[in-house]
Amino acid sequence: QAHLMESGGDSVQAGGSLRVACEGDESTYSRYCMAWFRQAPGKEREGIASIYRGDRSTRYADSVKGRFTISQDNAKKTLYLEMNSLKPEDSGMYYCASSRSPSYDCVLRGYLYHDWGQGTQVTVSS
């Protein structure tokens, strides 16, 4: 069974910071692309950040650019998302995703990713 486990979700005040993590295993910690998605109630899932393991190149959605940072610790098989200057509109369930496709173009679209975690809740209050 594929394993990706998110952690670190919490309730914070607007303007605050939070770091969420996603631990994988040998089968799910991708050699290629990994990403973070989020989904708020009543809204579509949004890809917000991705990273290519080979050269650690990153990609961000405009909604989080300059505030969020995606990173990896390969020794721990863990993906991170550092979130700063949080806004109420950042609230939602945050999911990590891993791709098995040997692609370096880590698009922020769900079709590229094969394994998904269960999510961790982030709530930002004003």
Side-chain angles (χ1 to χ4, degrees):
Q1 185 173 355
H3 169 83
L4 284 173
M5 181 66 73
E6 300 94 339
S7 63
D10 205 348
S11 296
V12 298
Q13 293 284 326
S17 298
L18 195 63
R19 188 177 78 162
V20 292
C22 172
E23 183 179 354
D25 60 19
E26 285 294 334
S27 66
T28 57
Y29 192 74
S30 178
R31 299 178 183 178
Y32 313 108
C33 297
M34 295 191 74
W36 286 97
F37 288 74
R38 69 184 180 189
Q39 188 167 21
K43 294 189 176 181
E44 291 188 357
R45 183 178 62 191
E46 175 188 20
I48 56 174
S50 67
I51 187 167
Y52 176 64
R53 183 174 172 181
D55 61 4
R56 297 182 183 267
S57 58
T58 57
R59 180 176 296 185
Y60 297 94
D62 288 344
S63 58
V64 305
K65 197 172 296 182
R67 299 187 298 122
F68 289 14
T69 302
I70 187 172
S71 63
Q72 289 178 296
D73 184 331
N74 294 330
K76 296 182 178 179
K77 294 184 175 58
T78 301
L79 181 74
Y80 299 101
L81 185 68
E82 183 78 34
M83 302 181 285
N84 298 311
S85 302
L86 282 162
K87 305 174 183 179
E89 52 263 44
D90 292 319
S91 297
M93 189 70 78
Y94 281 66
Y95 301 92
C96 69
S98 178
S99 176
R100 302 178 191 178
S101 296
S103 171
Y104 60 84
D105 186 15
C106 300
V107 295
L108 296 173
R109 298 290 182 92
Y111 68 80
L112 181 63
Y113 302 92
H114 305 87
D115 298 301
W116 296 80
Q118 295 298 307
T120 187
Q121 179 69 39
V122 173
T123 303
V124 185
S125 57
S126 57

